[in-house]
Amino acid sequence: MQKNDFTEFSEMLDAIWSLKGPVPTASQKAMFFRVLAEYPLNEVRAGLDAHVKDPIRGKFLPMPADVIAQIKGIVSEDGRPGAEEAWAMAVRARDEAVTIVWTAEMSEAMGVCQPLVQAGDDVGARMAFKEAYTRLVAQARESRIPPEWVVSLGHDAAGRDSVLLPHVQAGRLSADVLSVPQIGLGQVLALPAPADATPKNLALRAQALQRLAELRDEIAAQHDIGFSNDAERERLQALKAEAQRRVDEYAKEAA
């Protein structure tokens, strides 16, 4: 925080302390500000808010140590995996055919332990990786550097999307990295039948698709001619509900 943040900081502290009793004195505020000065005002605000919401600590007035603990807890929830999970993800880089997704800290830590990996010392490599990774993550968090997820493509092109898709779904990567675009329900319904489909199933599927098309056309026609009365409006709503029910059924089957 900067000196010009003191007034806003003081108001925040007064607001919290007033929940329990008298506001802090000028000297108490000055001490608070001095201890927390290394943190940006927005992080201090978030730390104070988190303290108030804490079901255990929030029962008591916040001390500087409480605010610092809350700030560190917030910063640590940045999406970076723990050391064990990071090792499990990074160790797959030994196979050049495999596609992996990792952070800069994971990549650098893997470089540190690479000589041990090449020597076949998996235990030593894991320990060296975890030590380096923990240190690098702590430094990045201290500098408030957000995690950056990058892709290292392996030689096996067929297996890439199965690795990338979970990271796309988690919001770590853009869908642009996928070689096969994700398809919607309409495309699922248009896919060819599986090899073990029976004639009866194919006939039922064709009938259902035809009925869905008829419902769609009826709804479109109603939009074109407008509503003549409440009965027509209710009929259209019923048609919409029926169409949605059919679509939902096929969505479940496709899943």
Side-chain angles (χ1 to χ4, degrees), residues 183-199:
I183 58 178
L185 176 60
Q187 293 166 290
V188 171
L189 295 177
L191 290 174
D196 60 348
T198 65

Side-chain angles (χ1 to χ4, degrees), residues 110-121:
M110 197 63 189
V112 171
C113 72
Q114 192 62 28
L116 294 171
V117 171
Q118 294 175 345
D121 184 359

Side-chain angles (χ1 to χ4, degrees), residues 164-178:
L164 299 175
L165 182 57
H167 294 279
V168 171
Q169 294 172 333
R172 295 169 175 170
L173 299 174
S174 166
D176 295 339
V177 301
L178 298 174

Side-chain angles (χ1 to χ4, degrees), residues 85-166:
E85 183 182 358
W87 166 252
M89 296 169 68
V91 74
R92 300 177 71 244
R94 293 184 297 185
D95 186 349
E96 295 184 355
V98 175
T99 292
I100 63 171
V101 179
W102 55 2
T103 64
E105 296 83 18
M106 293 164 65
S107 175
E108 187 172 345
M110 197 63 189
V112 171
C113 72
Q114 192 62 28
L116 294 171
V117 171
Q118 294 175 345
D121 184 359
D122 287 347
V123 175
R126 174 174 166 271
M127 293 176 63
F129 174 91
K130 290 175 59 179
E131 182 177 346
Y133 177 77
T134 301
R135 172 176 49 80
L136 292 167
V137 167
Q139 291 174 351
R141 286 172 174 166
E142 185 71 20
S143 301
R144 303 300 187 267
I145 300 174
E148 180 183 2
W149 292 88
V150 295
V151 178
S152 177
L153 294 176
H155 300 325
D156 180 13
R160 290 174 182 172
D161 280 2
S162 62
V163 175
L164 299 175
L165 182 57

Side-chain angles (χ1 to χ4, degrees), residues 12-27:
M12 290 190 299
L13 204 58
D14 284 348
I16 292 178
W17 277 51
S18 65
L19 296 174
K20 289 286 187 179
V23 299
T25 64
S27 60

